């Protein structure tokens, strides 16, 4: 994935010409920049890639390079593909998004595209090509199926902490929620129609979201409440409901893990900081939310739900610390616990 296009006056030029199409992959190249040597670390590190736009005659072209080392204002690199014009000083370039210490916080599949999120950026792959994040072809032409980078103009200082594929691509940040969409009518996303629209100002913590038949459940910022988000065909937006509205005290110690079992009864399971477990039997459409508390002779550390083909239902598994060790256990028949390993 690629960060947004350079918006400074800094240029990059290449010492090799690949316009004849015969340059071998991994051919050594030197990229000379006008970035001050002391600032290079803010833009590039060894191992990162750079995407460079150059002009040849009346045509523009893109090329790709992998940086092997940095020497003052020069990037020692390997040519990876595309077309570049020798010694053309270009202001149009993009660094790759992921580098040492900066990686995606979450991801999902949406409309046949792999979606990664990081900071305030949303990266979507080429349609039905999950490892292809090229924004154009080599000649700079943008097709509807090309990859996309979306910068969310957040109103507060935020980081994206979750994403989920629903009617829209939903994005949760520390203080706000956004829908990535083309319009209000469910039109497929393309590079020319994609936009981010704010939906609410609830905020979330960095926990996986839970997808249900009718919406999305996320953990509210500070980690003490669960929030349900659902799309409204009347407003073309996502509304939200506080699942803890009538039982705020049950999770005030803090939530450290979340999952749900959809069969035979929809239950949202919350592992709490104090080592206990609580569930919320849900029927959102009927406005029914019923909490129940569960304890054990030990400390519940983590939970997950897996389908059980023998019973045609979902089983809740837990990692539990007991006096004689840590165990993987499964809840069955309500409260009877069977040790699996």
């Amino acid at each position: 994935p690629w960060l947004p296009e350079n918006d400074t006056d800094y240029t990059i030029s290449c010492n090799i010409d690949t316009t004849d199409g015969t340059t071998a992959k991994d051919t050594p190249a030197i990229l000379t920049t006008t970035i001050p040597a002391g600032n290079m670390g803010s833009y590039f590190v060894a191992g990162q890639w750079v995407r460079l736009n150059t002009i040849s005659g009346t045509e523009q072209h893109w090329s790709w390079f992998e940086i092997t080392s940095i020497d003052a204002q020069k990037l020692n690199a390997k040519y990876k593909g595309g077309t570049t014009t020798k010694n053309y000083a270009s202001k149009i370039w993009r660094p790759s998004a992921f580098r040492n210490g900066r990686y995606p916080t979450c991801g999902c599949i949406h409309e046949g595209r792999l979606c990664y999120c990081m900071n305030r950026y949303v990266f979507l792959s080429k349609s039905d090509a999950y490892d292809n994040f090229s924004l154009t072809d080599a000649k700079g032409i943008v097709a509807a199926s090309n990859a996309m980078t979306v910068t969310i103009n957040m109103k507060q200082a935020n980081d994206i902490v979750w994403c989920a594929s629903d009617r829209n691509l939903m994005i949760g940040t520390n203080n706000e929620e956004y829908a990535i969409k083309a319009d209000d009518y469910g039109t497929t996303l393309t590079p020319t129609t994609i936009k981010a629209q704010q939906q609410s100002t609830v905020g979330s913590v960095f926990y996986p979201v839970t997808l249900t038949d009718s919406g999305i459940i996320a953990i509210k910022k500070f980690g003490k409440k669960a929030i349900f988000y659902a799309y409204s065909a009347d407003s073309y937006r996502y509304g939200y409901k506080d699942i803890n509205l009538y039982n705020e005290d049950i999770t005030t110690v803090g939530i450290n893990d979340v999952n749900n079992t959809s069969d035979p009864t929809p239950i949202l399971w919350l592992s709490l900081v104090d080592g206990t477990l609580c569930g919320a039997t849900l029927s959102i459409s009927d406005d029914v939310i019923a909490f129940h508390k569960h304890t054990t002779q030990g400390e519940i550390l983590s939970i997950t739900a897996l389908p059980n083909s023998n019973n045609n239902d979902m089983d809740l598994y837990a990692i539990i610390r007991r006096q004689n060790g840590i165990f993987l256990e499964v809840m069955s028949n309500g409260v009877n616990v069977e040790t699996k390993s």
Side-chain angles (χ1 to χ4, degrees):
W2 303 96
L3 290 173
E5 231 170 63
N6 169 51
D7 59 359
T8 71
D9 289 329
Y10 297 143
T11 64
I12 296 178
S13 61
C14 181
N15 73 328
I16 63 173
D17 190 295
T18 65
T19 54
D20 62 1
T22 62
T23 306
K25 185 178 179 180
D26 292 332
T27 295
I30 297 176
L31 305 179
T32 302
T33 80
T34 57
I35 302 171
N39 292 346
M40 286 293 285
S42 300
Y43 290 89
F44 300 108
V45 296
Q48 196 171 12
W49 286 42
V50 59
R51 176 179 165 91
L52 180 64
N53 181 281
T54 57
I55 304 296
S56 177
T58 60
E59 294 185 341
Q60 66 167 331
H61 302 278
W62 285 97
S63 53
W64 302 265
F65 299 86
E66 180 183 1
I67 301 167
T68 56
S69 63
I70 299 175
D71 181 11
Q73 292 179 282
K74 293 183 178 181
L75 304 173
N76 299 311
K78 292 187 291 186
Y79 168 75
K80 288 296 184 179
T83 301
T84 186
T85 303
K86 183 177 180 179
N87 296 331
Y88 183 92
S90 176
K91 292 183 181 180
I92 306 176
W93 48 268
R94 290 174 179 257
S96 61
F98 306 147
R99 51 183 282 183
N100 294 344
R102 188 166 66 184
Y103 302 105
T105 53
C106 54
C108 67
I109 304 294
H110 181 72
E111 292 186 359
R113 299 174 185 266
L114 175 59
C115 168
Y116 286 130
C117 299
M118 181 189 74
N119 301 135
R120 57 194 179 98
Y121 303 114
V122 180
F123 310 104
L124 293 103
S125 74
K126 186 175 181 178
S127 182
D128 297 321
Y130 296 158
D131 61 347
N132 187 334
F133 284 84
S134 292
L135 303 164
T136 68
D137 66 9
K139 293 185 177 181
I141 297 174
V142 178
S145 61
N146 276 128
M148 299 174 277
T149 296
V150 181
T151 304
I152 298 180
N153 296 315
M154 301 175 182
K155 296 182 179 179
Q156 302 185 55
N158 288 324
D159 281 328
I160 297 173
V161 294
W162 61 262
C163 61
S165 178
D166 197 64
R167 177 185 172 90
N168 303 133
L169 174 59
M170 276 292 288
I171 302 295
T173 77
N174 302 130
N175 295 292
E176 300 158 352
E177 289 71 42
Y178 292 84
I180 306 297
K181 59 201 303 190
D183 53 33
D184 291 332
Y185 310 109
T187 304
T188 301
L189 296 176
T190 68
T192 56
T193 62
I194 192 168
K195 62 182 179 181
Q197 183 183 76
Q198 186 179 5
Q199 305 294 296
S200 54
T201 56
V202 178
S204 305
V205 293
F206 181 55
Y207 286 136
V209 294
T210 299
L211 302 180
T212 72
D213 291 339
S214 51
I216 302 165
I217 298 174
I219 304 303
K220 189 178 180 181
K221 60 184 175 184
F222 309 124
K224 296 186 178 182
K225 290 185 177 182
I227 303 294
F228 176 79
Y229 299 93
Y231 183 79
S232 169
D234 295 327
S235 64
Y236 302 111
R237 298 176 69 91
Y238 280 79
Y240 65 91
K241 178 179 293 187
D242 184 351
I243 290 180
N244 288 80
L245 181 62
Y246 301 113
N247 203 329
E248 295 186 354
D249 294 339
I250 197 167
T251 56
T252 53
V253 296
I255 300 165
N256 70 8
D257 205 357
V258 57
N259 220 293
N260 76 307
T261 51
S262 54
D263 292 303
T265 302
I267 300 177
L268 174 69
W269 294 100
L270 302 170
S271 170
L272 305 182
V273 172
D274 63 1
T276 62
L277 177 73
C278 74
T281 304
L282 301 177
S283 180
I284 299 293
S285 59
D286 299 321
D287 203 25
V288 173
I289 301 171
F291 275 95
H292 32 96
K293 192 75 177 282
H294 303 266
T295 60
T296 187
Q297 292 180 341
E299 180 184 2
I300 297 173
L301 305 177
S302 180
I303 56 174
T304 193
L306 296 172
N308 185 333
S309 58
N310 294 325
N311 299 328
N312 295 320
D313 60 12
M314 297 286 288
D315 286 341
L316 183 73
Y317 284 79
I319 300 293
I320 303 178
R321 178 187 289 121
R322 301 194 184 277
Q323 288 185 348
N324 58 337
I326 296 177
F327 301 90
L328 171 64
E329 305 183 15
V330 60
M331 177 182 284
S332 59
N333 298 323
V335 296
N336 297 324
V337 178
E338 174 189 352
T339 300
K340 286 292 186 182
S341 64

